[in-house]
Amino acid sequence: MISVEGLRKVYRQGGGRTAREVVALDDVTLTVPKGEIFGILGRSGAGKSTLIRCLNLLERPTAGRVVVGGQDLTALDATALRQQRRRIGMVFQHFHLLQSRTVADNVAVPLEILGQDRAQRRRRVAELLDLVGLADRADAYPGQLSGGQKQRVGIARALAAEPDVLLSDEATSALDGETTAAILDLLRDVNARLGVTILMITHEMPVVKAICGSAALLEGGRLVEHGRLADLAADP
Ligand code: ADP
Ligand code: ADP
């Protein structure tokens, strides 16, 4: 479903004679099978954000390929890329909700971009709010919600355009333990019911242990471990 081949990203920091190159990703190769919940674990500075930006091609890799559902994203022009980007739904640590729009209207954003009419959006939004357990909060504003509820809205919005892949960027890192567990349950449920592949990027090992079948460890821009969770966990 997602395959990353020889991905490399080099940033230039500073200018003139003090300029230096930072290798944020170094020959990262990784395959995530369809329907899998896959974890990418790494501490601050390991290259996680760079990997996310390369996966949704907000950032051009210096070298390497990103293949989603058989399509090499690095080979596409800007228009084709916008189309393909819909195949990846993003869930963020700080939710990124529009404060001036209701829950329903936040979830409807991707549907508006797709050009769906009001009736279609209404139906789809109701379905999505049902899925995430927020049917009774459609008309609330984000400021009236708990952190866990905000993340449910974020997940509903990420799923709106029926992506093949859900890319979760520290989705539970701003939540307390109990809320984290509930959100992980929801993601597990979404994965089982919709078959959507989930890529969990996190610095929290317990999150990976709770939900991921396989995982990889990113360190200094390199993937240092990659395998079934049972095998990784056996490693001290
Ligand atoms: P993480 O998300 O795991 O904390 P990042 O991907 O943000 O890691 O950063 C990886 C490395 O790349 C770090 O050394 C960081 O300083 C560097 N880096 C990230 N983004 C940029 C950028 N836009 N320009 C220059 N260096 C960057
Ligand atoms: P408008 O805001 O354009 O006057 P509506 O209020 O009918 O039209 O819908 C606005 C958007 O929010 C649409 O995308 C609609 O699908 C969605 N929406 C609004 N309220 C709800 C709700 N209670 N349940 C489901 N979807 C809703």
Coordinates of all heavy atoms in Angstrom, one line a residue, residues 11-13 22-24 42-51 53 59 218, ligand 1:
Y11 N 18.7 19.0 4.1 CA 18.4 20.4 4.2 C 19.7 21.2 4.2 O 20.7 20.7 4.8 CB 17.7 20.7 5.5 CG 16.3 20.2 5.6 CD1 16.0 19.1 6.5 CD2 15.2 20.7 4.8 CE1 14.7 18.7 6.6 CE2 13.9 20.2 4.9 CZ 13.7 19.2 5.8 OH 12.4 18.7 5.9
R12 N 19.7 22.4 3.7 CA 20.8 23.3 3.8 C 20.4 24.3 5.0 O 19.4 24.9 4.9 CB 21.0 24.1 2.6 CG 21.9 23.4 1.6 CD 22.1 24.3 0.3 NE 23.1 25.3 0.6 CZ 24.4 25.1 0.5 NH1 24.9 23.9 0.3 NH2 25.3 26.1 0.8
Q13 N 21.2 24.4 5.9 CA 21.0 25.3 7.0 C 22.0 26.5 7.0 O 23.2 26.2 6.8 CB 21.1 24.6 8.4 CG 19.9 23.7 8.7 CD 19.9 23.1 10.0 OE1 20.9 23.0 10.7 NE2 18.8 22.5 10.4
V22 N 22.2 19.3 6.5 CA 21.7 18.4 7.5 C 20.9 17.2 6.8 O 20.1 17.5 6.0 CB 20.7 19.1 8.4 CG1 20.0 18.1 9.4 CG2 21.4 20.2 9.2
V23 N 21.4 16.0 7.1 CA 20.7 14.9 6.5 C 19.6 14.5 7.4 O 19.8 13.9 8.4 CB 21.7 13.7 6.3 CG1 21.0 12.5 5.6 CG2 22.9 14.2 5.4
A24 N 18.3 14.9 7.0 CA 17.2 14.6 7.9 C 16.6 13.2 7.7 O 16.2 12.5 8.6 CB 16.1 15.6 7.6
G42 N 10.2 7.4 17.0 CA 11.5 8.1 17.0 C 11.4 9.3 17.9 O 10.3 9.9 18.1
R43 N 12.6 9.6 18.5 CA 12.5 10.8 19.4 C 12.7 12.1 18.6 O 12.8 12.1 17.3 CB 13.6 10.7 20.5 CG 14.9 10.2 20.0 CD 15.8 10.0 21.2 NE 15.9 8.6 21.5 CZ 16.5 8.1 22.6 NH1 17.0 8.8 23.5 NH2 16.5 6.8 22.8
S44 N 12.6 13.2 19.3 CA 12.7 14.5 18.7 C 14.0 14.6 17.8 O 15.1 14.2 18.3 CB 12.7 15.6 19.8 OG 12.8 16.8 19.2
G45 N 13.8 15.1 16.6 CA 15.0 15.3 15.7 C 15.3 14.1 14.9 O 16.2 14.1 14.0
A46 N 14.6 13.0 15.1 CA 14.9 11.7 14.4 C 14.6 11.8 12.9 O 15.1 11.0 12.1 CB 14.2 10.6 15.0
G47 N 13.7 12.7 12.5 CA 13.3 12.8 11.1 C 11.8 12.5 10.9 O 11.4 12.4 9.7
K48 N 11.0 12.4 11.9 CA 9.6 12.0 11.8 C 8.8 13.0 11.0 O 8.1 12.6 10.1 CB 8.9 11.8 13.2 CG 9.6 10.8 14.0 CD 8.9 10.5 15.3 CE 8.7 11.7 16.2 NZ 10.0 12.2 16.7
S49 N 8.9 14.3 11.3 CA 8.2 15.3 10.6 C 8.6 15.4 9.1 O 7.7 15.5 8.2 CB 8.4 16.7 11.2 OG 8.2 16.6 12.6
T50 N 9.9 15.2 8.9 CA 10.4 15.2 7.5 C 9.8 14.1 6.7 O 9.4 14.2 5.6 CB 11.9 15.2 7.5 OG1 12.4 16.3 8.3 CG2 12.5 15.3 6.1
L51 N 9.7 12.9 7.4 CA 9.2 11.7 6.7 C 7.7 12.0 6.4 O 7.3 11.6 5.3 CB 9.3 10.5 7.6 CG 8.8 9.2 7.1 CD1 9.4 8.8 5.8 CD2 8.9 8.1 8.1
R53 N 6.2 14.8 5.9 CA 6.1 15.8 4.8 C 6.5 15.2 3.4 O 6.0 15.6 2.4 CB 6.9 17.1 5.1 CG 6.3 17.9 6.3 CD 6.9 19.3 6.3 NE 8.4 19.3 6.4 CZ 9.0 19.3 7.6 NH1 8.4 19.4 8.7 NH2 10.3 19.3 7.6
E59 N 6.8 18.1 0.9 CA 8.3 18.4 0.7 C 8.8 17.4 -0.3 O 8.4 16.3 -0.3 CB 8.9 18.0 2.1 CG 10.3 18.4 2.2 CD 10.4 19.5 3.2 OE1 10.3 19.3 4.4 OE2 10.7 20.6 2.8
L218 N 13.0 5.1 14.0 CA 13.8 6.1 13.2 C 14.8 6.7 14.2 O 14.4 7.2 15.2 CB 12.8 7.1 12.6 CG 13.2 8.1 11.5 CD1 13.7 7.3 10.3 CD2 12.1 9.0 11.2
Ligands
ADP1 P1 11.3 15.0 14.3 O1 10.0 15.3 13.6 O2 11.6 13.6 14.5 O3 11.6 15.8 15.5 P2 12.5 16.5 12.0 O4 12.1 15.8 10.8 O5 11.7 17.7 12.4 O6 12.5 15.5 13.2 O7 14.0 17.0 11.9 C1 15.0 16.1 11.5 C2 16.3 16.9 11.3 O8 16.2 17.8 10.1 C3 16.7 17.8 12.4 O9 18.1 17.8 12.5 C4 16.1 19.2 12.0 O10 16.9 20.2 12.6 C5 16.3 19.1 10.5 N1 15.3 19.9 9.8 C6 14.0 19.7 9.8 N2 13.3 20.5 9.0 C7 14.3 21.4 8.5 C8 14.2 22.6 7.6 N3 13.1 23.0 7.1 N4 15.4 23.2 7.4 C9 16.5 22.8 7.9 N5 16.7 21.7 8.7 C10 15.5 21.0 9.0

